[in-house]
Amino acid sequence: MEVAIFQFSLFGINTYVVYDTSTRECAVIDPGIINKEEEKALDNFLTREKLKVTQVINTHLHLDHAVGDNLLKEKFAVPVKAHPLDMPLGERMKEQAMMFGIDRDFSGVDISSYLTDGEIIKIGNGELEVICVPGHSPGSVALYDKADGFVIVGDALFQGSIGRTDLPGGDYRTLIGSITKRLLTLPDDTVVYPGHGAPTTIGEEKRSNPYLA
């Protein structure tokens, strides 16, 4: 499968479109769309590439990763998926916005189905495996494409860093355990697509990430 990256304005969130080049089916992952310009940018890409959105997937339900969920659910009539342990976050989108001084009345996220560890998500002929990586939030997940050698990790792991654990539901020890046991065990050449910032690889983070020494 192929991966397209959109960096949207709310905290520089990386929104991903993962698509099967043969069927043209795609999933939108962590839709951080907050204005009409960002919605148009995504629409133009989908139209140009002749892609059909079949689902929206959240690595976790912090505001910046989930703000576009309800928009895309209604626009494309597709399910929105997330881990159940993050539902309290999804229900408190307005409160999350207030924490960061954002004065907008965001509605709660309307989740269609819950993700489970080891679940295989089909996107056309491609597959993403759900890997639970709690710590940044209780229900954080990574999405692993073994065939194409990449993993979308949300805010669990970054290039040279890790996700913050000072937000509600975060836990440092849990996050380090998730990274070392669930992510660093993937092949070294696996490309890591984080929730913010540039891609990296599992091997590079093993070698140089100061939080994982």
Side-chain angles (χ1 to χ4, degrees), residues 148-167:
D148 297 296
F150 69 81
V151 61
I152 296 173
V153 298
D155 288 356
L157 179 64
F158 300 110
Q159 185 182 66
S161 189
I162 61 172
R164 61 189 295 182
T165 56
D166 59 335
L167 297 173

Side-chain angles (χ1 to χ4, degrees), residues 7 31 82 95 114 134:
Q7 189 175 83
E95 289 88 339
Y114 294 138

Side-chain angles (χ1 to χ4, degrees), residues 180-203:
T180 56
K181 296 174 184 177
R182 306 304 308 274
L183 295 178
L184 299 189
T185 52
L186 299 176
D188 282 2
D189 60 353
T190 303
V191 176
V192 176
Y193 291 112
H196 307 267
T200 182
T201 66
I202 292 295

Side-chain angles (χ1 to χ4, degrees), residues 82-110:
H83 194 280
L85 288 180
D86 264 18
M87 278 310 302
L89 291 172
E91 293 166 353
R92 296 199 296 267
M93 298 289 279
K94 182 177 180 180
E95 289 88 339
Q96 288 193 57
M98 292 173 63
M99 282 178 55
F100 291 101
I102 301 172
D103 186 18
R104 284 183 58 175
D105 189 12
F106 294 107
S107 59
V109 175
D110 185 12

